[in-house]
Amino acid sequence: MKTPEERIIERINKEIGSDIKNLHKSEYLVREYEESLRDIRAQLSLEDPSVSSVIKTTLTDAENVSDKLERQIEKVDKFTESLSEKLDFRTSIVTGIGDNLAKIRDLEHLIEYFKILRDIQDISQELKASVGGRDEAKIVGFYLALCGEKESCNSVIGRLQHVEAPHLKTFANQTASYWHDILLEKFSKDFESLLKTIRWPYLGHASEVLNPSKDSMNKLTILAEYLFLIKPPGDPSSEHIVLSPGVTCPPISHPTQLLIKPFRQRFQFHFTGNKQTNRLDKPEWYFTQIINWAKDNHIFVGENFQVSASRAGLADFNVRLEFVRGLVQLAMEKLCEEIEQIAQDEHLFAHLLDEVLSFEQDLKESLK
């Protein structure tokens, strides 16, 4: 598109051209352009009545719109200022509410702290009052209220998992440990007394027949259930038994420990110290003894005490297997003590390896 200057030059060239005789036309062109400019000025002058009303209206509307825009801008500015003030006010309110909520949470934690402290003291008093009585289920119930499932809100220890109170946790654990030891000793004595009553363990002698009364077995299974339930604070399942720097065993539940205790006493009597049955060249003697003890007693243990573990919530726990493992651990403990001495003699070490492999095979075949 050509500019106005280009169009004027083109018009001059067209009218005058290169002929000097046409110069008189320049005056005509000047007058023509002057008249055109006057006409344009007149058309754009709002004072001239001949100017188009459309232009006047358009310009007037534009001025009105401009005025309205300015007024709206002023309103927006005032609204922005007012809104900022209100936002500042509400921000201060929200900040205050946040501070108050934090104080409320602190108070709630404090209330929970004192509730737990009171519960610990109340449970301890109840245990103190009832520990000498005969209502054993009540005693166990109080202990479980203090130290039940670690992730449950039904026990004090469980509730403390969600409270930031290290000193209170220490106090609760110490209280639970105190009562755990007392109750464990109480029920262990009763359990061992009943084991003697039923003439446990069965050692394979014809004169010793394991035929307990129904009442004795009922009491034993109930006591076993209590012993399964009474767990110390913390996670005893993570505390493996270290037999040597390279040998560890999973922990054995307390009822199973009590069942194994008389076997352990006999094992130590026959296979430690200066006894004739304690010989480095005869590991098969104590391997055979353990196999016989396991064969004679593992079914009885499983039939009578698996139900106790199940009632205590140990659904996947195998009492019979743990009993056998506890007996095998007697041999492992002895081997850990003697292995260095045996390893110095090639024949003793080779014989031990043969007997260990035979022992493993006998276990698999005898205890299916």
Side-chain angles (χ1 to χ4, degrees):
M1 185 176 180
K2 295 180 180 180
T3 63
E5 291 82 357
E6 290 175 339
R7 290 199 299 272
I8 292 172
I9 292 171
E10 184 180 1
R11 176 76 182 280
I12 292 172
N13 289 332
K14 182 179 178 182
E15 294 292 337
I16 298 176
S18 59
D19 190 354
I20 195 170
K21 294 180 180 181
N22 293 329
L23 284 175
H24 67 280
K25 293 182 180 180
S26 61
E27 184 179 355
Y28 166 74
L29 288 174
V30 170
R31 286 198 301 270
E32 182 180 346
Y33 280 117
E34 286 178 347
E35 290 176 0
S36 296
L37 287 173
R38 282 195 295 271
D39 291 340
I40 292 172
R41 289 193 186 98
Q43 290 177 4
L44 294 177
S45 176
L46 297 179
E47 303 298 331
D48 192 338
S50 63
V51 174
S52 172
S53 61
V54 175
I55 295 176
K56 289 182 179 181
T57 303
T58 302
L59 292 175
T60 302
D61 291 343
E63 290 178 355
N64 292 335
V65 170
S66 178
D67 292 339
K68 289 181 180 179
L69 284 174
E70 289 180 359
R71 288 194 296 271
Q72 293 299 324
I73 290 172
E74 290 178 0
K75 290 181 180 180
V76 170
D77 291 340
K78 291 180 180 179
F79 177 76
T80 301
E81 183 179 353
S82 174
L83 182 61
S84 297
E85 292 176 356
K86 291 180 179 179
L87 286 175
D88 292 340
F89 175 70
R90 282 164 175 74
T91 301
S92 64
I93 292 177
V94 171
T95 302
I97 291 174
D99 294 339
N100 290 332
L101 287 175
K103 292 178 181 178
I104 291 172
R105 284 192 292 269
D106 291 340
L107 288 174
E108 288 176 342
H109 290 159
L110 187 61
I111 291 171
E112 182 65 15
Y113 184 99
F114 283 112
K115 281 183 178 179
I116 292 175
L117 180 61
R118 183 194 61 194
D119 289 344
I120 294 172
Q121 294 171 337
D122 290 346
I123 292 171
S124 190
Q125 288 297 322
E126 292 289 351
L127 284 169
K128 184 177 181 180
S130 58
V131 71
R134 295 185 177 182
D135 194 346
E136 295 169 340
K138 181 180 179 181
I139 296 172
V140 173
F142 282 131
Y143 181 78
L144 293 179
L146 176 63
C147 184
E149 292 295 330
K150 305 302 182 293
E151 300 300 325
S152 172
C153 291
N154 295 326
S155 71
V156 170
I157 299 295
R159 287 158 60 192
L160 278 171
Q161 301 301 313
H162 309 289
V163 178
E164 292 295 330
H167 297 296
L168 184 59
K169 288 181 179 180
T170 300
F171 175 64
N173 285 326
Q174 289 175 345
T175 304
S177 296
Y178 171 78
W179 285 111
H180 170 267
D181 294 344
I182 291 176
L183 298 183
L184 193 67
E185 181 181 2
K186 170 183 171 60
F187 292 129
S188 295
K189 286 182 178 179
D190 295 342
F191 190 82
E192 288 184 286
S193 177
L194 279 171
L195 286 178
K196 291 179 181 178
T197 300
I198 68 170
R199 304 179 70 178
W200 174 266
Y202 178 62
L203 302 175
H205 301 154
S207 59
E208 297 179 359
V209 179
L210 197 63
N211 187 24
S213 67
K214 185 176 181 180
D215 183 58
S216 295
M217 285 311 305
N218 285 338
K219 291 180 180 178
L220 263 178
T221 54
I222 291 173
L223 285 171
E225 179 186 351
Y226 293 160
L227 289 169
F228 279 124
L229 285 170
I230 299 173
K231 300 175 184 177
D235 185 12
S237 62
S238 63
E239 299 175 0
H240 280 57
I241 301 169
V242 180
L243 302 183
S244 73
V247 180
T248 60
C249 296
I252 296 176
S253 65
H254 197 72
T256 305
Q257 290 182 38
L258 296 178
L259 290 170
I260 292 173
K261 184 177 179 180
F263 296 105
R264 177 178 290 277
Q265 292 171 341
R266 286 167 174 78
F267 187 89
Q268 291 175 344
F269 178 82
H270 291 292
F271 303 110
T272 60
N274 298 321
K275 299 294 187 298
Q276 293 182 354
T277 48
N278 182 31
R279 292 173 51 175
L280 294 177
D281 62 334
K282 294 294 183 180
E284 61 269 27
W285 286 358
Y286 61 83
F287 284 146
T288 300
Q289 184 63 82
I290 288 174
I291 288 287
N292 290 335
W293 285 342
K295 286 168 59 177
D296 292 338
N297 294 277
H298 75 103
I299 293 178
F300 175 84
V301 170
E303 288 179 347
N304 291 283
F305 297 105
Q306 185 62 48
V307 64
S308 301
S310 298
R311 286 200 299 244
L314 305 176
D316 299 326
F317 180 74
N318 191 320
V319 179
R320 183 176 69 91
L321 180 61
E322 186 184 58
F323 172 75
V324 175
R325 181 166 60 82
L327 291 176
V328 172
Q329 187 172 311
L330 298 176
M332 293 176 63
E333 292 171 2
K334 182 172 177 60
L335 285 174
C336 287
E337 292 177 359
E338 298 178 346
I339 190 63
E340 290 187 9
Q341 186 178 357
I342 293 175
Q344 295 175 5
D345 188 304
E346 181 179 344
H347 297 291
L348 288 178
F349 188 71
H351 179 62
L352 174 63
L353 288 179
D354 290 339
E355 292 302 326
V356 168
L357 294 174
S358 177
F359 175 64
E360 180 186 14
Q361 188 63 33
D362 288 344
L363 277 176
K364 291 179 179 179
E365 293 178 356
S366 303
L367 306 175
K368 291 181 180 178

